[in-house]
Amino acid sequence: MTEPRFVPLPPRHDPGIAPEEALRAFHETLRTRRSVRMFSDRSVSREVIEGIVTCAATAPSGANKQPWRFVCVSDPATKRQIRLAAEEEERAFYKRRANDEWLRDLAPLGTDEDKSYLEIAPWLVVVFKQVRTESGGQIYYADESVGISVGMFLVAAHVAGLVTLTHTPSPMKFLADLLGRPANERAFVLLPIGYPSDDCEVPEHALTRKPLDEIADFR
Ligand code: IYR
C-alpha cells in the first residue's frame, strides 16, 4: 500500500471579478461553441494540438488512472483511410442500422454518409479509452473519465479559436484496427479539429438549449 501524502491546495489565480460576472463571460465563451462539419483545410500546428491535449489531460479520472489516449492524425493517407472506413459504416447506418425514430431525430441536422470533412480537417484526434492498463491492471469509471477529458478538449479547442466535431461512427472498432492500437483500448470518439470553412454553416436546430428550470432541480 502506498501511504497517502498531502500538499496544500495551491492558491488559485484570483479572477478579480465576482463569480456571477466571471460565469457570464465564460458562458458567452461556451455558448458560441458549435459542432462543425464544414472545415477549412487551413493547417494547425502540432504544438496547438499538443496544447489542447495537455488541457484535456487535466481532467479528473477514477483513481487518477488517466485512461485516455489521444491519437492525433494529420497524415493525409491515414485520414483518407479513416474517412473511407467511416463512410462505409455510415452507409450501413443510414441504410439499415438506424431505426425510423433515430433518422427522424437526425433529420434537422442534415447529416448523411458523406464524411469528406474527415479528409479536409487538418487533424483527426481519435480518443481511445483504456479498459485495462497497459500491464493489465484495473481502470475505474473509464467512460466518465474519458468523457470529462473530451469535454475539456472541446472547450480548449474553442478557446484556441478552433472548431471540432464529436463524431461517433458506429461501430468504431475499425479505428483501433486501422491505427494499430493495443487490445486494452477502445475507440471512444473521433474529433476532427481545425478552422471552419469560409462558407461554414451549422444547423439551426442545434442552437437551442433547454431552459434551466427543465434541466436543473434545486431543493
Ligand atoms: N454517426 C452518424 C449519425 C449521427 C448520430 C448522432 I446521435 C448525431 O448526433 C449525429 C449523427 C453521422 O455522423 O452521420
Side-chain angles (χ1 to χ4, degrees):
M1 282 300 183
T2 311
E3 281 302 308
R5 282 157 51 94
F6 290 90
V7 294
L9 178 69
R12 269 203 57 205
H13 125 96
D14 178 357
I17 47 173
E20 295 83 350
E21 204 185 322
L23 286 167
R24 261 192 300 276
F26 190 50
H27 178 238
E28 199 48 36
T29 299
L30 290 181
R31 197 181 65 74
T32 54
R33 187 204 55 79
R34 304 299 315 276
S35 289
V36 160
R37 294 180 177 80
M38 296 171 72
F39 283 83
S40 152
D41 61 3
R42 179 177 163 193
S43 66
V44 171
S45 73
R46 173 175 165 155
E47 188 188 355
V48 167
I49 301 298
E50 285 177 351
I52 292 167
V53 172
T54 303
C55 289
T58 64
S61 61
N64 195 29
K65 294 285 178 181
Q66 306 173 51
W68 39 72
R69 292 295 180 268
F70 297 89
V71 180
C72 307
V73 178
S74 65
D75 169 51
T78 311
K79 287 198 300 180
R80 179 159 186 79
Q81 283 181 310
I82 292 174
R83 171 192 175 176
L84 294 178
E87 285 183 334
E88 203 174 308
E89 296 293 0
E90 298 292 9
R91 266 193 298 276
F93 172 82
Y94 284 99
K95 265 207 218 92
R96 296 193 307 276
R97 270 192 225 124
N99 62 21
D100 288 346
E101 181 179 354
W102 199 340
L103 292 176
R104 261 198 315 278
D105 282 340
L106 289 181
L109 299 179
T111 55
D112 59 27
E113 61 272 20
D114 175 4
K115 302 301 174 196
S116 37
Y117 54 74
L118 294 176
E119 271 191 278
I120 298 169
W123 291 91
L124 303 180
V125 176
V126 189
V127 185
F128 289 88
K129 75 168 177 199
Q130 293 188 325
V131 292
R132 285 265 162 191
T133 67
E134 290 91 339
S135 51
Q138 296 188 141
I139 295 288
Y140 312 95
Y141 303 102
D143 287 300
E144 292 83 347
S145 305
V146 179
I148 294 167
S149 83
V150 169
M152 292 183 165
F153 184 106
L154 301 183
V155 174
H158 181 58
V159 165
L162 302 178
V163 294
T164 55
L165 175 68
T166 44
H167 182 43
T168 49
S170 146
M172 281 197 284
K173 193 179 174 309
F174 72 90
L175 290 167
D177 298 338
L178 217 148
L179 297 168
R181 301 308 296 174
N184 63 322
E185 292 184 10
R186 303 284 178 274
F188 188 80
V189 70
L190 169 51
L191 304 170
I193 174 166
Y195 290 96
S197 66
D198 290 337
D199 60 349
C200 181
E201 290 184 330
V202 290
E204 199 174 27
H205 172 74
L207 270 176
T208 56
R209 288 294 184 261
K210 292 176 179 171
L212 191 61
D213 64 3
E214 208 178 305
I215 59 157
D217 182 3
F218 291 82
R219 309 276 171 107

